[in-house]
Amino acid sequence: IQLSPDGKWLALVRQDEETRKSQVWLLPVEGGEARPLTRFEHGAQDPLWRPDSSGVLVATAVPVDKAASAPAFDMERPGRQWLDWDRPK
């Protein structure tokens, strides 16, 4: 649970009943219902507020084979090709 810097909101992680994945929810400190902030396919976690309370950064785990493009970093060994880990040897 993360309290917003302005003290008005709580960002919390809760399991979505439909997808069984963790998602980030917002709860007003002064009372009311929690509402979902994220609906990511692979879930979301670790909410972190911007210093001015204008937004929340969250983490999500996207499998390598679901990434939109090759990562900007080397893939563990020299000469490795994008997605060669799932090809037969």
Side-chain angles (χ1 to χ4, degrees):
I1 297 178
Q2 291 288 318
L3 179 64
S4 64
D6 64 9
K8 295 180 180 180
W9 297 92
L10 288 173
L12 53 106
V13 178
R14 185 171 134 172
Q15 190 176 63
D16 184 271
E17 292 175 11
E18 247 180 66
T19 65
R20 312 281 294 157
K21 301 283 184 181
S22 295
Q23 300 291 345
V24 177
W25 291 63
L26 292 180
L27 177 67
V29 170
E30 293 183 3
E33 295 291 319
R35 62 183 174 93
L37 177 65
T38 63
R39 292 185 190 270
F40 294 157
E41 178 183 358
H42 303 288
Q45 59 198 15
D46 302 326
L48 180 63
W49 286 95
R50 289 181 56 111
D52 63 359
S53 300
S54 66
V56 180
L57 175 71
V58 300
T60 186
V62 177
V64 172
D65 62 339
K66 299 278 184 180
S69 64
F73 52 86
D74 291 334
M75 299 283 291
E76 294 182 30
R77 68 177 191 270
R80 185 177 177 109
Q81 297 296 312
W82 177 237
L83 291 181
D84 70 351
W85 56 270
D86 66 347
R87 295 188 185 127
K89 294 182 180 185

